[in-house]
């Protein structure tokens, strides 16, 4: 146990809705966007305008004409990294206690607290 720990394992930072993230691998690499939704049980996040997929839709009273719509598909959290809103770079974070059992993420570069 622990002996074969992967060296490249990313820092576990819990992502939240409205976080700014950057894709670190795959065909969407380098893209940045806002987290729209977190699927915690699946370790996936939905990022605004990232990992778009085309969906064919049927004509319906609500959408009008049928056709192709583009929408975001969830991505694994291991493929994205949190971006510090202040330094605007994907940097490293650590968790800190803010009191009352609450935790916040602190940017190791500018010491900015991402959330409280
Ligand atoms: Zn920072």
């Amino acid at each position: 146990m622990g002996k074969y720990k992967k060296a490249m394992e990313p820092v576990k930072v819990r992502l939240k809705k409205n976080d700014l993230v950057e894709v670190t691998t795959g065909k969407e690499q380098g893209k940045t966007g806002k987290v729209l939704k977190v699927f915690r049980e699946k370790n996936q996040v939905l990022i605004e305008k990232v990992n778009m997929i085309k969906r064919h839709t049927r004509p319906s009273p609500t959408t009008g004409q049928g056709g192709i719509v583009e929408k975001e598909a969830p991505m694994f959290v291991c493929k994205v990294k949190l971006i510090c809103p202040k330094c605007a770079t994907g940097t490293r974070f650590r968790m800190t206690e803010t009191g009352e059992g609450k935790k916040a993420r602190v940017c190791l570069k500018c010491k900015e607290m991402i959330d409280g």
Side-chain angles (χ1 to χ4, degrees):
M1 48 170 278
K3 199 177 175 185
Y4 300 105
K5 203 176 175 189
K6 276 183 250 166
M8 289 301 288
E9 202 170 333
V11 190
K12 277 212 174 117
V13 171
R14 192 172 277 190
L15 296 174
K16 288 180 178 180
K17 195 179 168 184
N18 295 328
D19 276 348
L20 195 63
V21 294
E22 183 183 339
V23 182
T24 56
T25 183
K27 67 177 172 71
E28 302 290 276
Q29 188 174 356
K31 284 192 181 179
T32 57
K34 201 171 73 177
V35 173
L36 298 174
K37 202 173 180 183
V38 179
F39 304 95
R40 197 144 287 165
E41 66 285 354
K42 290 181 186 167
N43 275 325
Q44 289 182 324
V45 283
L46 207 60
I47 310 159
E48 193 175 42
K49 303 269 178 259
V50 172
N51 207 24
M52 301 298 284
I53 51 160
K54 287 189 172 71
R55 274 270 174 92
H56 294 266
T57 56
R58 291 161 184 271
S60 81
T62 48
T63 58
Q65 282 185 320
I68 300 168
V69 289
E70 279 196 293
K71 60 175 284 183
E72 292 91 354
M75 291 195 76
F76 282 104
V77 292
C78 59
K79 289 186 175 181
V80 302
K81 64 180 175 185
L82 184 62
I83 292 176
C84 172
K86 202 178 177 189
C87 14
T89 49
T91 178
R92 291 170 74 91
F93 296 84
R94 67 176 174 83
M95 300 297 289
T96 185
E97 298 275 349
T98 58
E100 293 169 11
K102 282 190 172 182
K103 285 182 178 174
R105 294 161 302 182
V106 177
C107 172
L108 289 181
K109 203 170 168 187
C110 66
K111 311 293 179 204
E112 188 77 3
M113 221 177 259
I114 307 300
D115 47 17

